[in-house]
Amino acid sequence: MLDDDDDDLQIRAFLEKHDSTSNEFQGSNLSDPNLSWLPQVLKEFMLPAGFPGSVSDDYLQYMLLQFPTNVTGWICHTLVTSSLLKAVGVGSFSGTAAAASAAAIRWVSKDGIGAVGRLFIGGRFGNLFDDDPKQWRMYADFIGSAGSIFDLTTQVYPAYFLPLASLGNLAKAVARGLKDPSFRVIQNHFAISGNLGEVSAKEEVWEVTAQLLGLSLGILILDTPGLVKSYPMLVSTWASMRLLHLWLRYLSLSALQFNTINLKRARMLVQSHILQSRVPGCIDCNRDENILLWQRFIKPRIIFGVPMEEMLGSGRSTSMLKTLLRLYAREKYILVVNQQQIDFEVFVSFKVGATSVSVLRSVWQTYWLHENLNVSEDIFDQLAKSLSMMDEKFNEFIQQLDKGGWDIHQINLRVPKEISIDECPV
């Protein structure tokens, strides 16, 4: 009898817990104080079920900034299309079948040439987008803007329509090849509840709404008296819209808060840990991350995947090689300071079996050496000291990352595949 009472209590407790969880979910469903003014029907139409709990915290801010970005993009598209149509001869041909066929051939030819760009990007650079989707999404807009400039010039040089329009379409195809994979990574970041399909579908709602609004505004601009006939006015209007578009794109990407660790964020996290014995949280780190900066311009400079011959220098000393192999016997990489450079620079070569954690350890050692290197002391002694300090501090660093909300199981630091060192006895 006592067992039956215990079972009843457990069942009742389970049901109460289940009911409270369901109520919490329903209460959180599409409830956000910032959207209290929005009708419930529109919320359900434009936002994923369970919002805001079903998506990441930065979802709404990104989408609100993405919307005017897309609107300005479609306005620019309308203005550029106007120039292309004039250059190809729409409105000036006499209406014969031959003239229409010639225009169609020129139009389709530039599309075919442009498709080559997407093939190239997908085949050659497919492994870049997981590392830094914010940067590549921004670069996509820069390249797309350059393509639009080629399209605009076709109105001035209609005789060169095919090469100009092909270059424009090639640039825009390359931009799309960068844009689509980058945005898939961003969508996956939003879908914290495994609801990637719904996030993608709702993004389509935002995109199409922005497209319709942008096309409508673009048509109104083209109907403005004097604009169609004035090429300088058309170009200045496009340039203004495009600059606004790029600025909005930058703001929307800056709003993203990734908790994964790529090389840029790894540098910031490591530097803060070495200088201040703490790591910044996801919000602070993403806010301070420079979206536009290339890795090669970040100091201190780290060159990954350097051949051992280059690391050893012209002397190629056997004793130096043995010393390095002995120093880094427990690591999956070998790091040396390039003493031929005035500015601090390190070479890193990876062993077979190196992982993303190996890359992160090499970054940590680099920053420790950058802050503590003494040129008057023996370099091998300082390498040994940096490895000793890393053994002492690295686990603490990982623990701080975990407590700070970083995903320590998803470290997007690629090991170069071209060159690797086989393990060998010293």
Side-chain angles (χ1 to χ4, degrees):
M1 184 68 178
L2 185 60
D3 290 341
D4 291 340
D5 290 341
D6 289 343
D7 290 342
D8 289 342
L9 286 172
Q10 289 177 3
I11 292 171
R12 193 178 299 112
F14 171 79
L15 290 174
E16 288 176 357
K17 181 179 180 182
H18 177 75
D19 289 341
S20 64
T21 303
S22 299
N23 291 334
E24 286 175 8
F25 177 78
Q26 292 173 1
S28 67
N29 184 29
L30 303 178
S31 63
D32 189 314
N34 294 327
L35 295 177
S36 57
W37 54 271
L38 193 65
Q40 187 70 18
V41 175
L42 287 180
K43 289 181 184 179
E44 294 175 354
F45 185 71
M46 301 183 70
L47 298 170
F51 176 86
S54 62
V55 291
S56 58
D57 293 339
D58 51 358
Y59 174 81
L60 182 60
Q61 185 180 1
Y62 176 83
M63 295 308 296
L64 289 175
L65 287 167
Q66 180 83 342
F67 182 79
T69 305
N70 289 335
V71 171
T72 54
W74 282 105
I75 293 174
C76 293
H77 172 78
T78 306
L79 299 175
V80 166
T81 303
S82 170
S83 287
L84 285 170
L85 291 173
K86 288 181 181 178
V88 82
V90 174
S92 61
F93 284 136
S94 59
T96 65
S101 297
I105 290 170
R106 296 165 84 186
W107 191 270
V108 173
S109 296
K110 59 97 178 173
D111 286 344
I113 294 172
V116 176
R118 296 183 68 188
L119 280 175
F120 176 71
I121 291 296
R124 180 65 182 86
F125 299 107
N127 60 348
L128 295 176
F129 304 108
D130 289 314
D131 299 346
D132 201 346
K134 291 193 281 188
Q135 182 184 67
W136 293 112
R137 184 64 189 88
M138 193 71 229
Y139 285 174
D141 264 16
F142 286 136
I143 296 171
S145 300
S148 294
I149 292 173
F150 284 113
D151 288 347
L152 282 170
T153 57
T154 58
Q155 185 176 340
V156 182
Y157 304 103
Y160 299 99
F161 173 83
L162 186 57
L164 288 173
S166 296
L167 284 172
N169 234 35
L170 179 63
K172 286 187 285 188
V174 169
R176 187 175 176 185
L178 294 173
K179 177 194 79 172
D180 289 349
S182 300
F183 190 60
R184 294 296 172 269
V185 178
I186 294 172
Q187 285 181 325
N188 193 55
H189 157 72
F190 289 144
I192 61 173
S193 302
N195 54 341
L196 179 58
E198 187 179 17
V199 168
S200 300
K202 296 305 181 183
E203 190 279 329
E204 191 73 11
V205 173
W206 289 77
E207 165 66 21
V208 173
T209 305
Q211 178 182 354
L212 293 173
L213 181 57
L215 290 174
S216 301
L217 292 174
I219 292 170
L220 287 175
I221 292 173
L222 287 177
D223 275 344
T224 303
L227 180 63
V228 178
K229 296 181 180 180
S230 173
Y231 179 74
M233 183 67 71
L234 178 69
V235 171
S236 61
T237 304
W238 173 86
S240 301
M241 284 292 108
R242 199 65 193 179
L243 288 173
L244 177 61
H245 171 83
L246 291 171
W247 179 66
L248 289 169
R249 177 73 68 198
Y250 182 83
L251 290 180
S252 67
L253 293 172
S254 298
L256 293 172
Q257 299 168 12
F258 283 97
N259 67 340
T260 54
I261 300 172
N262 64 4
L263 188 52
K264 279 184 183 176
R265 292 190 282 275
R267 283 173 168 271
M268 297 169 67
L269 294 166
V270 165
Q271 185 176 37
S272 178
H273 183 254
I274 289 173
L275 294 179
Q276 304 172 15
S277 298
R278 56 173 293 275
V279 296
C282 298
I283 296 176
D284 293 336
C285 189
N286 278 271
R287 183 191 60 224
D288 296 337
E289 182 182 3
N290 190 327
I291 298 174
L292 303 178
L293 190 61
W294 280 27
Q295 291 292 342
R296 66 178 60 189
F297 299 118
I298 301 178
K299 304 295 183 180
R301 192 175 183 199
I302 308 173
I303 303 179
F304 296 110
V306 179
M308 281 301 299
E309 293 82 359
E310 187 175 341
M311 295 180 74
L312 295 173
S314 56
R316 298 188 181 181
S317 166
T318 304
S319 61
M320 180 180 176
L321 176 59
K322 288 183 176 180
T323 303
L324 287 173
L325 290 174
R326 188 162 46 248
L327 270 174
Y328 290 97
R330 295 168 53 194
E331 300 294 338
K332 286 294 183 180
Y333 69 90
I334 293 176
L335 180 149
V336 298
V337 179
N338 183 8
Q339 295 178 287
Q340 297 179 354
Q341 286 285 343
I342 298 176
D343 293 332
F344 183 87
E345 179 182 81
V346 299
F347 294 151
V348 184
S349 188
F350 293 95
K351 300 178 184 179
V352 174
T355 65
S356 294
V357 176
S358 308
V359 181
L360 186 59
R361 288 177 70 88
S362 71
V363 173
W364 198 100
Q365 185 186 6
T366 297
Y367 273 82
W368 190 93
L369 286 167
H370 181 250
E371 297 298 329
N372 298 279
L373 186 68
N374 189 337
V375 292
S376 62
E377 295 182 13
D378 182 74
I379 187 62
F380 290 107
D381 290 342
Q382 294 185 77
L383 288 175
K385 186 175 181 181
S386 66
L387 289 168
S388 176
M389 291 300 297
M390 184 166 63
D391 287 340
E392 181 182 332
K393 299 285 188 180
F394 191 78
N395 285 339
E396 174 197 282
F397 172 60
I398 296 296
Q399 290 171 5
Q400 288 191 19
L401 291 177
D402 193 23
K403 290 179 181 177
W406 294 99
D407 187 353
I408 58 175
H409 302 293
Q410 190 173 352
I411 301 175
N412 296 325
L413 301 176
R414 292 184 298 112
V415 179
K417 291 183 287 188
E418 296 80 6
I419 301 166
S420 56
I421 306 168
D422 287 318
E423 294 281 7
C424 56
V426 182

